[in-house]
Amino acid sequence: MPSHDVLVIGAGLAGQRAALAAAEQGVSVGIISKVHPVRSHSNAAQGGINAALNPEDTWESHAFDTVKGSDYLGDQDAIEVMAREAPEEILHMEHLGVTFHRNEEGKLGTRAFGGASAARTYYVADITGQAIMHVLYEQLMKYSEQISRYEEWFCSSLAMDEQGECCGVVTRNVADGSMELFSAKAVILACGGNGQVWKPTTNALICTGDGIAMAYRVGAKLMDMEMIQYHPTTLAGKGFLITEGARGEGAHLLNRNGERFMEKYAPNKMELASRDVVSRAEQTEINEGRGFDDGTVALDITVVPRKRVHEALREIVLVGRDFAGVDITKEPIHIKPGNHYTMGGVKTDVDGRTDIPGLYAAGETACVSVHGGNRLGANSLLDTLIFGKRSGRDAAGRAKRIDGSKPSKKVLEDEAAMIADINSREKGSGRRVSEIKQELGETMDAKVAVFRDEAGITEALETVRRLKEEAKTAYIDDHGEIFNQDLIGAIELGYMLDNAECTCVGALERRESRGAQYRTDYPERNDEEWLKHIDLELTDDGPEISYSEVTITQWEPEERKY
Amino acid sequence: MAEYTIKVRRFQPESGQGPYWEEFNVDLEPSLAVLDGLLQAKDREDGSLAVRCSCRAAICGSCGMKINGQSGLGCKTQIGEAQERADKVASAVGGDSSGNPIVIEPMGNMPVVKDLITDMESTHWTKIRRVTPWLLPHGEPPEREYIVEPESMIDITQSMACIQCGACVSSCLSMEADPDFVGPAALAKAYRFVGDPRDAETKERLHDLAEDPHGIYDCTHCFSCVDACPKDVAPMNQIMRLRRKAGEEGIEDPNSGHNHEIAFVKLIEKKGTLDESALLQESFAPGIKGKLKPSKRAIKEMLGSLPTAIRGIKTGKMRSLPKLIPGIHHKLPDGAQDEVKAIYKHAEEHSEEINLYIKGEEDVVPEPDEEKVEEQL
């Protein structure tokens, strides 16, 4: 049985950072990823990473912007940790080799971003996530003796010992189909978010909520699962992301009459209000007939100097050209709000600890919560690095303290039986896995999106529960061992359905409008009743609801205006 | 919506059969990607069709493949354009001018594992690790950030834009001839460190890559990688920059690659076409007029290359022996040499690096004034 002190699941920014931080403590580390690490979805983070690094800026200002952006649902102790540690982390990344943009003096330069009161976003053109992730992977290659990489290994469940502590993971080596039980003294889930539950989404095909579902299934609490961000600028159809950096560089949003409609919704911050505000504004314009016929509004980047566009928004030039047939330097591009980010997730403390000993979560999988009801742009990369690092350190500390227990082989047998069951389903005995995914995605995008109400969410929840039943008999075509992507897709569908059910239950429960949750039947924020987290725990009857307090340190809730 | 036929080179390792072709009919918008077509076939018809993919937006680098023989990303190649190309290719060799299948194959220069999935670890990633792919800074880091020229970061961001998809490796002709060639992706990655002012071992890196017979001078300048790269990294350009830096360092490489390049440039400037006799001399004993006085190492190299030269003469790739005698190389017809010189002058005056992140876009050729064109007509 392969064994590591610390086992990290997922190799995006949070996972790689966690692995490096744990290895620095001198423990043995394994990092498992269902795709090659550089394929991870952190790549897609274009715009940048926030830090109050500039001498005129303060961490308090960064923290307050984040609190306000979260619509006061973020835990302020966690937000303080993130804002305080941000500058040091940016410098650490710079020292490792990230090619951050420089100002004329050769120092780190910034750009403006939504919901921020200062230009504090550090960036590499519009490939910031990719640039940081490839540098972290360079470090994984450098420290290959301390960190074992399991590239293209898929995790299907967590192993628990008799004391209820997490002690390992069941995995499948995608390349040859062999099943392996790993033992570990600490497991860190860094598997990203659940964007694939919605169609379309900006998220990659791999973002199927694996970590959230695996934690939920062994009894860890999930938190604020209803908080799903719709990004204001995505391409209609396939849902590709146009970075907020475009608006940071000065691009305008226009309705079909050519009006800069953000004047009505956020007269001060205009296009750089926080994402929930801008997405709602766009959707309102579209719903009230001021959008284009394809259900979009326009993003006008032609107001940004051409040279600057090519220097700072090159990826968007390519996306416009290759995926929309539009030269963004010459004409506006049609965009709409689209599914983008999971603010909720596995409930953790500031060291990434879930309420199951030995189990940690970091990055989009986790809900610390630093993003509360709405995440600010360029705070997600920061979240992954800060809490990846802290999880890695704390997990290493635990590994040094405890003896650890070996997981029972039974869990491996259970997984083998589960796979045998999927393989045994005859073609035509049920629905195709891909069909169920399609119906799930369309339902969630129609009913649990920018604007929600009780009837719609209830309908979505009923659909999700029906799909859960149908998934039990859904069949696949590939019954082989080598690179059986079909089988993995069937297991991922199970993860997606658990995520969807929790989001619906949370969205139905929160009878107010806060951050990304806008209930047309409860259009106001209601601090008296709902300034609290919604926690969900798996029971035989599905998710059971409980509540926990929002930590407030120095910023009392007030009305949110941009 | 339009209908397309995609013809996929399949390999199911557990079937006991060799590779085979299979056609799938798909219907989708022409602006959607070849990958969307593959995923439709996988979703609707055959879930065992194996293809790595994730982001669908040309940022994760998973879906490298050959489409109508060209290496690239499945998600970035529009299916309508792929159809046009398939038809163009077919009609050029006397086939039908429409309705040809779009041919999809796994990447080249890598072992195939299943369908479109290749073993990138044993080829691509092993070569990446060959170039010590991490920053080697001098001593302890500063308290704040390293202060560096803004342009230097923009410069290396072009190679940082590499998503490790392997399309350049798949298309590399030099690697086909020499599987040990370090290759376009790894060398572009190497430039990312050599060009980084924070790296303290750039000289060592250059020596390493210039002295390796499978290193920077193994590239034959064929531009395949530049065409294949979906992110405009232009790996060959990064290799040329490594060569220039190695030359500036005065590094002697076993193939006299650097001198060979200079000899080329000099001879064309002087004679307009390539004087192969002088090329040999200039490459191995640069600057020595008249008698050939090569070093011992150069003699060894020249003798070693004799079989190649003879083969070249036999197949007509090299000019016949008498013409290899120094001094009888023909000159260009009148005035033509002045034009060659003018080209050199222009190139020298525009020697600034072309980097797509900042330069190269400013020099956009203005579209011709339509009215004026009409007047002229």
Side-chain angles (χ1 to χ4, degrees):
Chain A
M1 185 184 304
S3 174
H4 291 282
D5 289 327
V6 174
L7 205 51
V8 183
I9 318 299
L13 241 55
Q16 294 196 35
R17 186 67 185 92
L20 289 164
E24 271 170 28
Q25 306 297 311
V27 300
S28 94
V29 180
I31 184 164
I32 299 178
S33 173
K34 66 178 175 178
V35 290
H36 187 284
V38 304
R39 315 292 175 218
S40 304
H41 189 57
S42 306
N43 263 337
Q46 298 169 341
I49 179 164
N50 287 332
L53 182 58
N54 196 316
E56 291 97 66
D57 201 359
T58 64
W59 71 263
E60 288 93 343
S61 166
H62 179 190
F64 172 69
D65 289 342
T66 305
V67 169
K68 181 182 171 189
S70 81
D71 219 349
Y72 294 89
L73 190 64
D75 288 306
Q76 297 182 7
D77 55 339
I79 292 171
E80 287 187 12
V81 164
M82 183 172 82
R84 276 174 194 269
E85 294 183 9
E88 191 194 314
E89 189 64 16
I90 300 287
L91 291 176
H92 180 54
M93 289 300 124
E94 198 277 325
H95 295 156
L96 291 183
V98 177
T99 57
F100 282 116
H101 169 80
R102 307 289 159 146
N103 61 22
E104 282 171 7
E105 296 166 46
K107 296 177 180 168
L108 296 176
T110 57
R111 69 161 41 127
F113 237 63
S117 50
R120 64 167 73 93
T121 302
Y122 295 86
Y123 66 98
V124 182
D126 51 2
I127 55 166
T128 314
Q130 177 192 326
I132 298 176
M133 195 165 73
H134 282 248
V135 166
L136 287 182
Y137 189 67
E138 289 165 12
Q139 297 298 307
L140 284 194
M141 291 191 276
K142 180 176 177 185
Y143 293 107
S144 59
E145 280 178 22
Q146 292 90 330
I147 303 169
S148 306
R149 304 193 300 274
Y150 301 91
E151 297 169 351
E152 298 189 312
W153 287 62
F154 178 80
C155 293
S156 62
S157 70
L158 298 170
M160 305 289 285
D161 68 12
E162 283 164 6
Q163 285 73 47
E165 303 195 358
C166 183
C167 62
V169 186
V170 182
T171 61
R172 178 182 176 92
N173 181 350
V174 180
D176 65 12
S178 60
M179 300 292 291
E180 195 78 74
L181 177 59
F182 281 73
S183 95
K185 293 177 183 170
V187 173
I188 302 173
L189 296 168
C191 314
N194 60 21
Q196 279 297 317
V197 171
W198 284 258
K199 264 188 196 358
T201 173
T202 62
N203 283 203
L205 297 167
I206 54 174
C207 302
T208 47
D210 304 12
I212 295 172
M214 278 191 280
Y216 174 65
R217 289 174 185 184
V218 295
K221 272 191 182 140
L222 306 184
M223 187 164 94
D224 300 337
M225 285 293 286
E226 68 280 12
M227 294 302 180
I228 298 295
Q229 181 165 77
Y230 266 61
H231 192 287
T233 53
T234 71
L235 291 186
K238 287 174 91 176
F240 289 150
L241 178 66
I242 304 287
T243 176
E244 186 163 307
R247 284 171 286 140
E249 300 291 343
H252 296 170
L253 287 168
L254 306 173
N255 62 19
R256 73 180 301 162
N257 307 323
E259 293 157 347
R260 216 177 145 193
F261 58 82
M262 285 310 296
E263 283 168 2
K264 281 187 290 185
Y265 304 91
N268 296 319
K269 296 295 285 185
M270 298 292 285
E271 282 84 359
L272 288 177
S274 72
R275 288 177 175 176
D276 57 329
V277 173
V278 181
S279 282
R280 267 195 298 281
E282 290 175 3
Q283 198 61 51
T284 305
E285 292 294 304
I286 295 164
N287 291 353
E288 292 177 358
R290 291 185 297 278
F292 295 95
D293 291 339
D294 56 349
T296 61
V297 289
L299 177 69
D300 185 5
I301 306 174
T302 63
V303 294
V304 181
R306 193 180 153 78
K307 180 169 185 290
R308 181 67 187 154
V309 172
H310 279 289
E311 175 186 310
L313 300 170
R314 178 170 169 270
E315 187 62 34
I316 296 311
V317 175
L318 299 180
V319 167
R321 188 189 74 193
D322 297 331
F323 300 111
V326 171
D327 180 350
I328 60 156
T329 63
K330 291 191 177 137
E331 54 180 322
I333 186 166
H334 286 199
I335 50 88
K336 60 182 280 202
N339 173 278
H340 183 59
Y341 188 83
T342 316
M343 266 87 66
V346 184
K347 186 182 177 73
T348 72
D349 68 7
V350 293
D351 289 313
R353 288 182 287 217
T354 69
D355 41 30
I356 291 178
L359 184 63
Y360 293 73
E364 201 173 341
T365 300
C367 184
V368 187
S369 160
V370 285
H371 307 305
N374 171 67
R375 175 175 69 75
L376 291 190
N379 263 356
S380 65
L381 289 181
L382 183 61
D383 169 18
T384 62
L385 293 177
I386 299 295
F387 295 103
K389 173 190 74 179
R390 295 178 69 98
S391 304
R393 281 187 192 160
D394 200 85
R398 172 184 160 89
K400 286 182 183 171
R401 276 195 314 276
I402 68 163
D403 294 330
S405 47
K406 287 271 173 266
S408 146
K409 288 257 182 194
K410 180 163 184 311
V411 60
L412 192 58
E413 288 157 17
D414 290 349
E415 290 302 296
M418 181 266 292
I419 287 169
D421 171 52
I422 295 173
N423 267 328
S424 70
R425 297 173 201 158
E426 295 278 322
K427 189 165 186 160
S429 62
R431 299 179 76 186
R432 285 183 81 79
V433 167
S434 54
E435 263 177 43
I436 299 178
K437 282 185 182 168
Q438 189 67 27
E439 187 180 350
L440 173 67
E442 286 169 6
T443 304
M444 294 299 282
D445 192 56
K447 311 288 181 193
V448 197
V450 176
F451 292 112
R452 309 165 172 183
D453 63 21
E454 184 178 331
I457 305 166
T458 307
E459 209 179 302
L461 183 57
E462 282 165 5
T463 304
V464 169
R465 288 185 168 152
R466 169 172 56 78
L467 295 177
K468 277 186 112 166
E469 283 306 306
E470 291 175 359
K472 288 178 185 165
T473 56
Y475 70 91
I476 56 173
D477 302 324
D478 195 339
H479 302 294
E481 300 293 340
I482 297 172
F483 273 96
N484 189 337
Q485 300 175 317
D486 221 9
L487 173 68
I488 286 168
I491 301 173
E492 286 172 340
L493 172 63
Y495 292 154
M496 288 159 65
L497 288 164
D498 281 354
N499 277 266
E501 184 182 22
C502 291
T503 293
C504 291
V505 168
L508 204 52
E509 176 66 10
R510 186 176 288 283
R511 290 180 293 279
E512 65 154 352
S513 292
R514 179 187 301 273
Q517 156 99 343
Y518 193 93
R519 288 279 300 257
T520 52
D521 43 356
Y522 299 94
E524 301 296 325
R525 191 175 89 190
N526 178 352
D527 286 343
E528 218 159 278
E529 287 179 70
W530 292 105
L531 182 60
K532 57 189 177 188
H533 298 296
I534 296 178
D535 298 344
L536 301 174
E537 199 173 342
L538 179 65
T539 66
D540 291 341
D541 304 321
E544 187 181 83
I545 296 166
S546 59
Y547 308 101
S548 55
E549 272 184 34
V550 174
T551 308
I552 291 176
T553 57
Q554 46 177 315
W555 298 284
E556 286 301 322
E558 48 187 62
E559 198 194 339
R560 194 156 155 258
K561 278 187 185 159
Y562 284 102
Chain B
M1 281 298 182
E3 284 193 15
Y4 300 94
T5 302
I6 52 176
K7 183 178 172 185
V8 186
R9 185 183 162 90
R10 300 201 62 181
F11 173 59
Q12 292 278 316
E14 291 159 273
S15 69
Q17 284 183 320
Y20 60 99
W21 292 99
E22 186 170 2
E23 292 191 357
F24 297 94
N25 295 317
V26 294
D27 53 321
L28 60 168
E29 296 291 339
S31 63
L32 289 178
V34 168
L35 177 67
D36 293 309
L38 284 164
L39 290 179
Q40 194 181 90
K42 187 179 168 87
D43 281 350
R44 291 185 187 170
E45 283 185 63
D46 185 356
S48 75
L49 177 59
V51 52
R52 283 195 187 101
C53 55
S54 181
C55 74
R56 304 160 297 136
I59 42 178
C60 79
S62 300
C63 64
M65 60 183 71
K66 278 187 183 172
I67 300 164
N68 298 316
Q70 282 187 316
S71 299
L73 292 179
C75 70
K76 195 172 175 268
T77 310
Q78 291 184 352
I79 197 157
E81 285 176 8
Q83 181 67 59
E84 281 171 29
R85 180 161 170 90
D87 292 337
K88 212 169 151 186
V89 170
S91 60
V93 292
D96 293 337
S97 61
S98 70
N100 294 287
I102 296 162
V103 179
I104 303 171
E105 297 165 88
M107 286 195 283
N109 286 328
M110 300 174 206
V112 177
V113 177
K114 177 178 180 177
D115 293 341
L116 300 174
I117 294 178
T118 58
D119 176 6
M120 289 190 74
E121 172 56 29
S122 70
T123 46
H124 178 80
W125 287 107
T126 305
K127 289 174 191 291
I128 293 286
R129 290 193 293 271
R130 155 73 184 81
V131 302
T132 319
W134 47 80
L135 193 73
L136 296 166
H138 185 71
E140 288 299 305
E143 205 168 297
R144 296 264 311 186
E145 68 268 43
Y146 288 97
I147 309 287
V148 295
E149 288 286 314
E151 281 74 22
S152 66
M153 287 294 111
I154 292 168
D155 177 47
I156 53 173
T157 293
Q158 187 174 9
S159 15
M160 223 36 239
C162 171
I163 54 174
Q164 309 294 349
C165 68
C168 59
V169 173
S170 167
S171 73
C172 179
L173 296 176
S174 291
M175 208 183 285
E176 248 181 78
D178 173 16
D180 291 331
F181 177 35
V182 177
L187 290 174
K189 183 86 179 170
Y191 182 75
R192 173 251 173 285
F193 300 104
V194 170
D196 194 326
R198 296 169 295 183
D199 196 276
E201 309 217 2
T202 53
K203 268 191 198 175
E204 292 79 355
R205 290 178 189 274
L206 286 168
H207 271 278
D208 174 31
L209 296 170
E211 286 160 8
D212 183 339
H214 311 290
I216 50 179
Y217 293 106
D218 215 3
C219 166
T220 59
H221 237 143
C222 76
F223 282 83
S224 292
C225 60
V226 179
D227 282 346
C229 178
K231 305 303 284 188
D232 295 341
V233 172
M236 190 195 79
N237 293 7
Q238 314 305 332
I239 298 174
M240 293 312 130
R241 294 158 124 190
L242 288 170
R243 285 190 186 177
R244 195 170 318 150
K245 287 197 183 252
E248 283 163 11
E249 286 290 331
I251 297 170
E252 281 203 23
D253 59 275
N255 300 327
S256 284
H258 180 61
N259 290 337
H260 189 62
E261 277 189 350
I262 292 177
F264 244 93
V265 174
K266 269 194 196 165
L267 285 172
I268 302 289
E269 185 178 21
K270 209 166 138 192
K271 301 187 176 178
T273 53
L274 196 61
D275 181 349
E276 277 141 352
S277 62
L279 180 66
L280 227 55
Q281 169 163 343
E282 281 291 329
S283 299
F284 289 107
I288 296 170
K289 294 258 174 189
K291 285 180 191 167
L292 197 56
K293 281 189 195 163
S295 66
K296 265 189 189 169
R297 188 176 60 85
I299 292 171
K300 201 177 148 218
E301 287 295 328
M302 287 202 303
L303 287 176
S305 61
L306 259 182
T308 315
I310 291 166
R311 260 203 319 275
I313 291 166
K314 270 190 183 164
T315 54
K317 279 191 99 176
M318 254 171 102
R319 284 133 39 83
S320 61
L321 262 181
K323 289 190 180 165
L324 284 176
I325 298 163
I328 63 164
H329 188 76
H330 69 274
K331 286 199 170 127
L332 286 187
D334 36 54
Q337 193 57 37
D338 290 339
E339 280 181 43
V340 171
K341 286 201 169 132
I343 293 170
Y344 269 70
K345 188 161 174 279
H346 181 88
E348 272 157 22
E349 282 166 3
H350 294 76
S351 67
E352 228 173 329
E353 292 280 350
I354 289 179
N355 182 305
L356 292 158
Y357 269 88
I358 190 162
K359 287 157 195 149
E361 280 293 338
E362 291 301 285
D363 274 339
V364 177
V365 183
E367 283 168 27
D369 198 324
E370 278 178 27
E371 280 176 27
K372 267 190 186 169
V373 174
E374 271 170 31
E375 266 173 39
Q376 282 172 356
L377 288 174

